[in-house]
Each structure stands twice: as C-alpha cells, then as structure tokens.
Amino acid sequence: MPASPHARSPGNPGNHGTHPSAEGLATAAARQTYRRVQRHASMRALLLTLPLIVFLLSTFIAPIAMLLARSVQNHEMADGMPHLARALVAWDGNGVPGETTFALLAADLKQARESGQLGTVARRMNFAQPEFRSLLMRTARAVGDDTPAAWKPALIELDARWDSPETWRLLKRAATSPTPDYLLAGMDAQVIPQGTVASVPDNASVYREAFLRTISISATVTILCLILGYPVAWLLANLPEKQSHRLMLFVIVPFWTSLLVRTTAWYVLLQPGGVINSLLSMLGLTSHPVALIFNRTGVLIGMTHVLLPYMILAIYSVMKSVSPIYMRAAKSLGAHPFTAFVRIYIPQTLPGVGAGCFLVFVLALGYYITPSLLGGAGDEMISQLIAMQTNTQLNWGLAGALSAYLVIFTAVFYFIFNRIVGIDRLRFG
Amino acid sequence: MQDKRNTVVAERVAWRWVRLHTALTLLFLVAPILAIVPLSFNAGSYFSYPMTGVSVRWYEQALTSPDWQRALLNSIGIGAASTLIATGLGTLAALGLSRSQFPLRSVIMPIIISPMIVPIVVVAAGFYLIFAPLGLVNSYPGVILAHAALGTPFVVITVTASLLSFDQSLLRAASGLGATPWATFRRVTLPLITPAVATGSVFAFATSFDEVIVILFIGGPDQKTVPRQMWSGIRDSIDPSILAVATMLIVFAVLLFASINWLRGRAAAASQALG
C-alpha cells in the first residue's frame, strides 16, 4: 500500500486560501499530532516484529553470513603459523625467499606441531595443491629433531620442493586474507604463477559443470511440472466444487506427505527389481530391467513428483479468479474455442504460471535429498557438492564460495518472483 | 453449421484429453505413495509384487526397535519445542506486520521469508559454523532453535493473511465502545486469529517433523529424528521396516491435513459469526 500518511493528512494549507488564520494554525497542530500518532503506531508495529527479527538475525541470517564470509577468509595460515604468515605477506613473491623466512618456517612448523594447529594448516595447503600436506608433515617432523646452522640449505636438501618458487607462491597466497581464491575455485578458475586468472583445465572443471547441471535439472523439472500441472489445474478450477474438492485430495495428500517418504517410494518403485520393472517385464514390454534409478531419469521423476503440487496449487489459485465472461465473449464473437483459450484464457493465467514456475525452479535449485538418493555419479547438484565440501573435505572456504553463488542466484530469482507475484500471495495446501 | 459442429467436437475432444491427462497426472502423484503401503505388509523382504504373504512383522520390527522409538520421541519433542518458539515469535510479528503503519516492510519481509527461500544445505552448513563454537552442535537446543527458525515464515504468512482478511472495523467498533487495546485484542482479535495461529503451528510442526538436512549437519546420534533415521535406513541397509514407518507417516500426513481442513472450517465459521 503506497498510501503515505502525508497524502491523507488533513488540512493542506494550500487549499485554505489567503489568510493564515487561527484555523490554519489549528490544522498545523492537528497535522503534527497526527504525525506523532502515526509515528507511534509504526513504532509499536515494529516493536511487535522485533523479537522475530532479532531471533532470525541471530539464528538464521548470521550463520549464513558467516558461511558466505568464509568464501574470502584465509585464517588457517595466520592462526597456525603467524610469524611465517606475516613475513610472507610482506614478501614480494619473487623466486625463493631467504634464510630468515626459512627460519620462520622452521620455527612456526615446530610451534604448530606442538600446539596441534599443524593439521589445519596442512589441510588448508592441500586445497591449494595435493601433497602439500605430506610436504609440511615431513618437514615438521624433521625440524623437530635438530637445528642446523642454516635452515635454507637444510630444508632444500630435505625436500627439493622448498627450492621451488611455486611452493612459496602458494604459501603466500594462503597467508593473504581476504582471498579471491575460493570464489575463483568455485568457478573453476585460479590465479596462475604469472598472476593472472585462468580457467583450470577442462577435465578438472567440476563446479561450472555442476552449476549448469543444477540449472538444467531445475529448468527441466519446472517445464515438466508446468506441462503436467497446467491442464490439471484447469480441470480442478472448472469442475463443479464437490468434484474438484475430491480430486484436490490427490494433489494435497502427496504435498503433505514427507519428502523422505516420497523419495523412499520412488526408490522402491524404480529399482531394477522394483515394482515398475517387474510390471514392465510382466507385461512383456522389456526383457531385462530398465535403468530408472541412480541416473538422471530417477532424479527428474523424483523431483517432478515432489514439486508438482506447488505448480498445480499456484496455477489453480489464479485460475479460480479468472472470470469466464471473457471466454464467453470471445466465443460469441466467433472465436474458435482453441483460439479463445490461447488468446484470452492463457494470458489471464500467466501470473499463476509465473508463480508456479519461479517457485518450482527456486526450490529445485537447492535440492539435496532427492538427487542424493535417486541420482547417479553424474547427477550431483550444487547442494550435494556443498555438503561434500563441508562434511568430508572440510573445505569451508570452497563450501562458502559455492554457497555464495547458489544464494545469489536464488536471491535474484526470488526478487524477480516477488516483483511479479508477491511472496505474500503464497498459500500452502 | 458445419463450423459449429466442428467446434463442439473439438471441445469434446479437448475436454476428454484434459480428463485423461489429469487422471494420469494424479495417478503419478498418488500411485507411488499408495504402492508402498501394501509392500509394508509383505511377509518377505522384497520390494516388489507379487507379495509372498501378508504380515505385520515390519511394523513390529519398527515399533519395537529402540532406534525408531528414540527417533519418534525426538521428532515429537523437537517438533513441539520448535513449534512453540516459531508460533510465539511468528504470531507476534504477524500482529505488527498486518498493521497499515508498518515501516520498513521491504527490508523486513525478505528477512522473515528467507528461511523458505535460502537453499537448506547452505542454511545447515551455516548453522554448523555458528553453533559449533557455542557448543550447540549435537545438542537439543541447537536443533530446536534451527527448526524454530525454519518454521517461522509459515506462521507469519498464515497469521498475517488471516489478520488482513478480517474486517478492521470490528477493532474500531470495539475501541469505540470503550474497550481497551488489550481487551480488544483478547476478546476480538485473538478468537478470530486462533484458527490461523493453529494452522501456522501445524505447518511449523510439519516443517520440523519432515526436516533431514539440518539434523544431518548439526544433530548428533542423540538427536536422530524419524526422517534422519529413514535417511540412514535408505543409505545403509534398506529393509522393509522403512516402508512400515513410511506408511505410518502417510497416515500422519493425512491426519495433519485433516486437522488443517478442520481449522479452516472453524476460521470460516468464526468470521461468519462475527461478520
């Protein structure tokens, strides 16, 4: 509601003619009182929502912000090997650093090993280059044993990698915070020794492909839901009340059934020895089991099943409010029913179609359970990769970067959705 | 004349086609859920028809297993506690949001709705990051707070819709007749929105009851809920007791839905009585 208090405020002085009389002063006072009352009312309204806002900011927005912040933070080196990290940040990054830095490396490695921080640093360095962990672990063991006259030659003799500028370049990158490295890695890019950004080799490009796959699965599911859902919504909106209520149960009951139950159902149905395959072979349609699960087919079937009710309900609620008058008018003016339907009816239902499509697409983007249980090796969606980074790789930086892309992408779609449809109009069930 | 007849034929064909399409689509929606119900009574341990015999052994196994019992208790406890928080905070916020003078709507609405929109894996990972240093990972308070946050938008949306739909002149009438704001709230507003508050809390409870991913990230072995237990059941060793649990959950879903319908009926009756 754009009705601002000013627009409605009583007594616009301009209308009161020429003399600034007592009446004018009285209106000014009234206006002031009115404004004060309005201000109080909006403060009271705001105060009522305050507990929820505080609750959501602290338990919901803060965690997400923290995860997204991880995508540019580089705290492992600075925490675990502070002296070396400081020296490396100051270092110009050319060639191999001198004896002082090597000595700091030795001292910090020893310190980190004793304080138990070495594992964290080693894991962090492994994200930059596999086998960095073994280099650090091996060196840390060696520096604990004895103290040579000069660290540089001793460590280079221990492992020739300490003589490589690349090793030191990676350490410097890991010591610099904030870093763009995770955000680049999430797009399959990296900073190469020359200092420019380049794509990783094609065969290593995991995430760009995963994003494209996520978008393509979500788009396919959205289209499938639209094709399946539109006629159903139409019939439900045009049948007599009693019949449509009864049929609506077929949409609502699945909608209310646990996501996991529905995924389990498909898991059982789609298996090679499952219900659908035994049905097919009983009917003599197939001689051996059709691969319906652990591949894209399984993901699409499962996700379409889960998201279809959202589409039907969104379109149905708009179709219910479409007046039949225009269709009748078009037909009485001689339009073919098909033409009338396409040119008169469908345009009136587009808000519902938009709502359904946006809703299904946005929900599909973040899916995790259904693709994890019904998909195969080539069907991972971005959510699964985020979970993998946090649960098994413990690479929170990369998880944060992937999350940032997913959240930004989802937010963009949400704002389009809100602009076109309005989130307030969502109904469940 | 010919044209007219063609038109009628075309309409009839289209109508039939839509009916067939709808029948098949509704079958697609319902059949998988119904198909697993008989299989849960299978005497054998296979997931396909024909069944080898009828037995309730999988129900017995599910209901007597300490794992499932614990999961059920956890689901109910966590669901109830998080629903209480979500309903309280959400109803209060809805009372503020439904006022016409509410400021900063465009900033605050996205915050309130965000639990429905942000991909759940991102949310769960974030919860882990912030709860771990506070000692809330693998704890009931952590899971309850997280589930409460996820449930709030449903309460806010449902209650706000109900507050906006009833006749605001009732409130003016009450205060015009000399009722204090608190009396107006207690005697007019509250009875009118009670069904919506109850509906919102059913949604919040269902959200918690169906949630797996947050539990996977921040719940420990002690906090296993029914969906969490099902998830590990499918991943590790799929045995038909999962189907027994699934069947019970389907019945539960129908009950929840029926309760919502009943609440809607009451809401309609209430506004009719006052309108």
Side-chain angles (χ1 to χ4, degrees):
Chain A
M1 280 291 264
S4 80
H6 307 288
R8 280 183 284 145
S9 85
N12 183 346
N15 295 339
H16 278 270
T18 46
H19 40 223
S21 60
E23 193 192 328
L25 285 173
T27 7
R31 197 162 61 233
Q32 227 169 23
T33 317
Y34 179 79
R35 282 212 191 116
R36 201 172 54 237
V37 170
Q38 283 288 327
R39 218 172 24 243
H40 275 225
S42 46
M43 278 316 290
R44 265 207 305 277
L46 197 61
L47 270 178
L48 284 167
T49 55
L50 204 61
L52 179 61
I53 303 289
V54 171
F55 176 72
L56 284 181
L57 283 179
S58 54
T59 63
F60 195 81
I61 306 292
I64 294 167
M66 222 166 124
L67 176 65
L68 299 191
R70 278 296 177 102
S71 64
V72 292
Q73 285 168 351
N74 229 348
H75 62 94
E76 292 91 345
M77 276 286 286
D79 291 352
M81 301 175 70
H83 307 101
L84 178 70
R86 263 197 300 280
L88 285 175
V89 170
W91 175 52
D92 68 358
N94 287 322
V96 177
E99 169 65 22
T100 345
T101 313
F102 271 88
L104 286 175
L105 167 69
D108 268 5
L109 273 177
K110 204 167 164 182
Q111 177 68 36
R113 195 182 178 201
E114 277 158 17
S115 68
Q117 292 260 38
L118 185 59
T120 316
V121 175
R123 196 175 59 231
R124 166 65 185 87
M125 291 316 300
N126 235 35
F127 299 152
Q129 191 182 63
E131 292 175 20
F132 219 116
R133 164 192 283 276
S134 64
L135 171 63
L136 285 179
M137 291 299 188
R138 188 166 163 219
T139 314
R141 264 196 307 277
V143 300
D145 297 341
D146 54 351
T147 317
W151 282 108
K152 188 168 175 176
L155 289 185
I156 289 174
E157 190 176 336
L158 175 76
D159 197 309
R161 277 176 285 178
W162 288 121
D163 200 22
S164 145
E166 175 67 5
T167 307
W168 288 96
R169 189 184 72 85
L170 291 175
L171 277 173
K172 181 177 164 64
R173 284 209 75 80
T176 316
S177 187
T179 173
D181 286 4
Y182 293 119
L183 288 170
L184 289 172
M187 279 285 121
D188 296 321
Q190 59 188 6
V191 176
I192 54 174
Q194 291 77 33
T196 51
V197 175
S199 289
V200 300
D202 269 351
N203 54 5
S205 95
V206 184
Y207 301 112
R208 238 178 300 172
E209 212 169 275
F211 273 109
L212 289 178
R213 188 189 308 131
T214 303
I215 293 169
S216 105
I217 290 178
S218 305
T220 314
V221 168
T222 308
I223 293 167
L224 284 173
C225 285
L226 181 62
I227 295 172
L228 290 177
Y230 194 89
V232 175
W234 183 82
L235 192 71
L236 288 173
N238 286 288
L239 277 178
E241 193 96 326
K242 211 169 167 190
Q243 260 181 313
S244 87
H245 270 264
R246 216 174 299 147
L247 284 184
M248 203 46 146
L249 281 181
F250 287 74
V251 181
I252 301 284
V253 169
F255 185 70
W256 272 89
T257 306
S258 162
L259 170 65
L260 219 52
V261 170
R262 298 161 72 182
T263 308
T264 311
W266 283 113
Y267 192 95
V268 167
L269 257 61
L270 297 175
Q271 281 186 75
V275 176
I276 291 183
N277 265 313
S278 42
L279 201 70
L280 287 177
S281 70
M282 227 163 66
L283 295 173
L285 291 172
T286 53
S287 52
H288 37 244
V290 188
L292 296 169
I293 196 173
F294 309 132
N295 56 25
R296 191 63 59 86
T297 315
V299 177
L300 292 179
I301 292 177
M303 284 180 66
T304 304
H305 185 251
V306 173
L307 292 168
L308 182 55
Y310 290 93
M311 181 70 87
I312 294 178
L313 292 172
I315 301 179
Y316 170 83
S317 70
V318 169
M319 281 179 172
K320 264 311 225 194
S321 64
V322 169
S323 159
I325 294 172
Y326 302 102
M327 275 290 275
R328 250 180 266 149
K331 279 194 233 169
S332 76
L333 288 170
H336 188 272
F338 180 75
T339 320
F341 186 77
V342 171
R343 299 200 29 199
I344 307 295
Y345 189 77
I346 290 184
Q348 294 187 78
T349 61
L350 285 184
V353 171
C357 287
F358 278 118
L359 195 59
V360 169
F361 186 74
V362 165
L363 290 174
L365 283 178
Y367 254 54
Y368 175 74
I369 305 263
T370 315
S372 309
L373 290 177
L374 303 180
D379 304 303
E380 285 96 355
M381 295 182 70
I382 271 304
S383 283
Q384 289 168 270
L385 296 182
I386 294 174
M388 198 181 81
Q389 289 304 330
T390 53
N391 294 340
T392 58
Q393 309 285 320
L394 301 180
N395 189 344
W396 288 89
L398 188 50
L402 295 175
S403 301
Y405 291 127
L406 184 59
V407 167
I408 290 168
F409 198 70
T410 309
V412 167
F413 266 88
Y414 164 73
F415 280 111
I416 301 172
F417 168 77
N418 202 15
R419 260 290 152 78
I420 297 180
V421 193
I423 193 76
D424 310 27
R425 281 180 47 189
L426 272 190
R427 289 303 198 90
F428 325 96
Chain B
M1 206 60 215
Q2 186 63 41
D3 256 18
K4 183 119 189 148
R5 198 174 308 140
N6 278 346
T7 307
V8 171
V9 169
E11 272 190 351
R12 199 174 297 152
V13 170
W15 182 251
R16 272 206 199 135
W17 180 81
V18 170
R19 271 170 181 271
L20 181 70
H21 176 100
T22 303
L24 289 176
T25 306
L26 295 182
L27 191 73
F28 166 71
L29 277 175
V30 173
I33 298 172
L34 293 184
I36 59 170
V37 173
L39 280 181
S40 69
F41 292 99
N42 196 354
S45 56
Y46 296 106
F47 288 135
S48 65
Y49 297 97
M51 292 182 2
T52 43
V54 175
S55 108
V56 290
R57 62 185 269 221
W58 304 116
Y59 285 84
E60 217 180 298
Q61 192 166 315
L63 290 171
T64 54
S65 132
D67 279 349
W68 283 110
Q69 282 173 354
R70 160 133 235 178
L72 185 65
L73 279 180
N74 273 336
S75 274
I76 293 173
I78 291 170
S82 60
T83 300
L84 267 179
I85 299 175
T87 309
L89 293 172
T91 306
L92 212 56
L95 286 168
L97 277 171
S98 62
R99 300 201 173 170
S100 57
Q101 301 96 341
F102 188 78
L104 304 173
R105 185 178 292 274
S106 58
V107 184
I108 287 175
M109 260 336 248
I111 296 178
I112 291 181
I113 297 300
S114 58
M116 289 173 61
I117 305 295
V118 182
I120 190 80
V121 168
V122 176
V123 177
F127 279 141
Y128 182 89
L129 265 188
I130 209 164
F131 284 175
L134 299 174
L136 286 171
V137 164
N138 298 352
S139 78
Y140 285 102
V143 175
I144 288 169
L145 285 177
H147 278 190
L150 293 177
T152 49
F154 297 96
V155 179
V156 174
I157 290 182
T158 317
V159 179
T160 307
S162 141
L163 282 166
L164 289 177
S165 72
F166 81 67
D167 189 356
Q168 299 288 322
S169 61
L170 290 174
L171 301 182
R172 278 196 293 278
S175 57
L177 291 169
T180 61
W182 171 244
T184 311
F185 174 74
R186 206 169 50 84
R187 308 269 302 264
V188 181
T189 312
L190 201 58
L192 278 170
I193 63 167
T194 303
V197 173
T199 306
S201 63
V202 173
F203 281 121
F205 187 79
T207 306
S208 164
F209 205 83
D210 197 20
E211 204 289 320
V212 208
I213 298 164
V214 169
I215 283 277
L216 275 173
F217 273 74
I218 65 167
D222 285 346
Q223 286 83 38
K224 274 197 172 178
T225 56
V226 172
R228 174 73 181 79
Q229 186 71 23
M230 279 188 84
W231 165 267
S232 37
I234 305 171
R235 295 224 110 178
D236 308 339
S237 58
I238 176 137
D239 84 74
S241 56
I242 285 178
L243 297 188
V245 176
T247 305
M248 292 188 269
L249 285 180
I250 295 168
V251 174
F252 179 70
V254 172
L255 288 178
L256 273 187
F257 169 65
S259 70
I260 290 283
N261 252 4
W262 182 76
L263 287 166
R264 289 240 168 96
R266 279 202 44 179
S271 62
Q272 229 160 39
L274 273 154

